[in-house]
């Protein structure tokens, strides 16, 4: 797998997949910029009058419930159902799963539509699998990634999704394999919505890469290596937010390969 | 008071309060990043289906009407009412008060729910007190801070709120005291939504600091000192926006104490 | 015309026009910051309960359909109708025209209200004129600017608007003239929403400059020259986004005049 990751990054740059995002207000600007920097082509659209048509012209769909409300949830369901029927890949980012009963009910409805990939922090993945063995504190994770592995395996079994638990170590789980990615930097937890950026980048990669597990690993490693290179020259999370965008844009194969820390 | 302010900043970093924001689209990303940089834990949520539950798990609520509409106003009222009933502290940021009759009507409804703190610029505070002796020009202030003191005193008397008038000099008024804070930098007026950031930070501080007046002063001085330190190394407001986030994250007690200009 | 452009930039700085934006979620923060940096005063407001009143106190209206939905479209129409009846200048940014039938239907309704200016990329302008001789790929342009000239001339004839086709060469077309502006930098296409920023700046300029064609050229040249100066010192699109804001704020007449590349 390791030898394919950079190739996948180049593929995204070359094919510039159109990625349809139904995401939250907090991260829309950063998500769009991250997708552009990585070479993809973002579209943000949520009107019930157009989401199905937008899914049809896109290569992948990103559904992120961060600032959900009743209207947006209807759009998310319309779009995810369309993606499922057209066999287009889509990713679910269950922001704040477990924080309110409303979020959990919405997530149940979305899970039925069998996301190609689910990416969340450990608390969210645990809440999502209904194990609910930990209390979610808002949108930040209070559970360790490895505690969430069993929860992720439940989700893989029940919905056929690839699950990515992001954290100090990112863990990507599909039917057969567990992949551990040990890149990233602690300061990244102080920038809002980098998890959302991860999900959006995964959207771009699953839109054009056939092997969906490799697509997820490529996207996650691109972001986490870019993040640690960016953090090394950042005085704080404000600088880090923009340096990550720069690095997604100008990272070289040498930089990527020198820092990759992958176990499987 | 001066000797307690840094202690309060450390308390926020250590306790990482969950702050529920119902705020405007323009500033959501920056507000979330400022809260994270100061050590707090932001959640943005506005769905009528969940705002009350979200208030219940949060330590403070921030209501900012910048890009209000009919749906969001219903959410704000639900959330503020819940905060009042649970005796949780909440802050009202009356963005653009006086600009339209709709904003003024909404603000009347919110004031009845007795915000713990109200923060606005001089024009907004004057409009809010119904004195309306100045015309509001959009969301930027055209009135001097000190002209708004009488308006603020009306609000303190009528709603029991602490009022913070932000401007070249920030003025914090409660039942007994007036505190004048002379930090900040002129370039800060060219960054959108730093007033909104101030309100969000106040939300974090009133969430964990018992003395609410000191909490407001600590939040305002943290932002204004961070702003002036950041402005000194910024070529323009684009750089300033991110350097403020960096400085909120890495400011030291020495930097804070050396620059604090407080009169009471 | 060339001799007037800097004068217009100074006029915006001095008069600080209030610009009412009904725009998309992705760009609101950046748009507001760009307007502030150029000296204007932005207000973002979309509530049906207040948009007409907000148009009445503003000097110009910006309508950008990027993240439209049914509610926002009603607001846009209310606001544009009000602008038309008060003879206030307004600009239409047809983001993603041609991507879905919904967008095209909405744009037909808005065109009837005769925008003072229309600004889009080549694909959008072509879609807007119903020529539809190219397929729009999301929100990024796939057509060359000069292919869109005929489409623009149709729009000028049918709606009396000034049309600005932005791209590697920006082309401004009114009833009599075509003006070609060859500033800008390729990296600007990797920052989300700089087209939206262009439209917002045009809003500020048409709010206070009598000659609307010169107003459009001044706004476009200010942004594109600021962009190329900013790109020269940016490692990637993250840095570029903020350096453009800085440069809009601190650009001098010398910098502006030295780089201006205008043909008419």
């Amino acid at each position: 797998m390791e030898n394919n990751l950079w190739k996948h990054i180049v593929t995204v740059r070359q094919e510039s997949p159109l990625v349809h995002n139904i995401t939250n207000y907090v991260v829309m600007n950063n998500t769009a910029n991250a997708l552009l920097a990585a070479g993809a082509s973002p579209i943000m659209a949520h009107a019930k009058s157009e989401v199905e048509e937008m899914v049809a012209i896109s290569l992948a769909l990103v559904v992120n419930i961060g600032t959900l409300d009743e209207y947006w949830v209807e759009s998310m369901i319309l779009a995810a159902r369309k993606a499922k029927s057209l066999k287009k890949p889509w990713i679910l980012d269950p922001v704040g799963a477990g924080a309110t009963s409303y979020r959990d009910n919405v997530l149940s409805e979305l899970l039925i539509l069998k996301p190609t990939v689910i990416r969340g922090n450990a608390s969210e993945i645990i809440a999502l699998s209904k194990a609910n063995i930990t209390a979610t504190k808002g949108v930040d994770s209070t559970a360790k990634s490895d505690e969430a592995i069993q929860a992720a395996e439940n989700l893989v079994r029940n919905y056929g999704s690839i699950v990515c638990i992001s954290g100090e170590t990112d863990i990507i789980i599909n039917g057969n394999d567990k992949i551990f990615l040990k890149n990233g930097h602690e300061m990244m937890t102080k920038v809002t919505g980098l998890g959302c950026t991860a999900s959006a980048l995964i959207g771009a990669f699953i839109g054009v890469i056939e092997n969906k597990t490799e697509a997820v690993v490529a996207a996650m490693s691109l972001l986490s290596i870019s993040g640690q290179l960016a953090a090394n020259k950042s005085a704080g999370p404000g600088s880090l937010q923009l340096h990550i965008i720069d690095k997604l844009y100008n990272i070289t194969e040498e930089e990527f390969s020198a820092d990759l820390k992958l176990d499987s």
Side-chain angles (χ1 to χ4, degrees), chain A:
Chain A
M1 172 180 299
E2 280 192 54
N3 297 328
N4 289 333
L5 298 180
W6 181 256
K7 197 180 68 185
H8 296 329
I9 291 167
V10 173
T11 299
V12 169
R13 288 180 180 178
Q14 286 172 344
E15 302 202 6
S16 190
L18 185 64
V19 181
H20 177 192
N21 297 270
I22 306 182
T23 188
N24 73 71
Y25 303 124
V26 182
V27 305
M28 280 196 195
N29 185 269
N30 261 59
T31 298
N33 276 328
L35 285 168
L36 283 169
S41 183
I43 178 93
M44 271 66 183
H46 68 284
K48 286 189 274 185
S49 302
E50 72 170 359
V51 285
E52 293 165 294
E53 221 177 317
M54 206 61 95
V55 168
I57 64 169
S58 301
L59 290 183
L61 169 69
V62 178
V63 173
N64 174 312
I65 68 161
T67 54
L68 84 179
D69 65 27
E70 300 77 8
Y71 180 97
W72 283 69
V73 167
E74 287 183 56
S75 296
M76 291 171 187
I77 291 170
L78 281 175
R81 192 176 289 149
K82 187 74 176 180
K84 183 166 183 287
S85 78
L86 296 176
K87 301 190 195 315
K88 299 220 176 187
W90 74 283
I91 175 166
L92 173 63
D93 188 331
V95 180
T100 66
S101 51
Y102 177 55
R103 286 186 188 236
D104 290 348
N105 293 337
V106 166
L107 289 168
S108 299
E109 289 190 76
L110 287 165
L111 281 173
I112 294 169
L113 300 170
K114 301 201 171 187
T116 315
V117 182
I118 301 167
R119 190 217 57 82
N121 61 39
S123 295
E124 290 162 346
I125 295 300
I126 291 166
L128 197 61
S129 82
K130 306 286 175 203
N132 272 308
I133 57 170
T134 184
T136 295
K137 179 191 171 193
V139 295
D140 296 321
S141 185
T142 52
K144 296 280 180 220
S145 284
D146 46 5
E147 298 174 21
I149 290 180
Q150 194 182 340
E153 289 174 335
N154 288 339
L155 293 167
V156 171
R157 196 177 314 116
N158 291 339
Y159 304 105
S161 308
I162 298 167
V163 177
C164 173
I165 308 163
S166 58
E168 198 180 322
T169 297
D170 300 316
I171 309 170
I172 294 95
I173 301 176
N174 69 8
N176 310 301
D177 305 311
K178 286 187 201 61
I179 295 138
F180 297 85
L181 185 60
K182 296 187 178 178
N183 290 104
H185 189 284
E186 196 273 337
M187 203 198 284
M188 293 173 75
T189 63
K190 294 298 182 183
V191 178
T192 195
L194 284 185
C196 307
T197 296
S199 295
L201 290 174
I202 291 172
F205 280 74
I206 59 177
V208 290
I209 309 297
E210 193 56 41
N211 183 323
K212 302 308 179 198
T213 302
E214 288 191 8
V216 174
V217 176
M220 292 303 294
S221 55
L222 173 62
L223 179 62
S224 55
I225 294 172
S226 296
Q228 72 189 48
L229 293 172
N232 291 338
K233 48 180 274 185
S234 296
S239 303
L240 177 55
Q241 179 164 283
L242 84 95
H243 288 145
I244 286 179
I245 302 290
D246 285 356
K247 189 46 70 184
L248 287 171
Y249 176 78
N250 65 28
I251 192 171
T252 64
E253 184 173 7
E254 288 67 34
E255 290 176 309
F256 181 80
S257 303
D259 278 310
L260 182 64
K261 290 184 189 154
L262 195 69
D263 286 324
S264 57

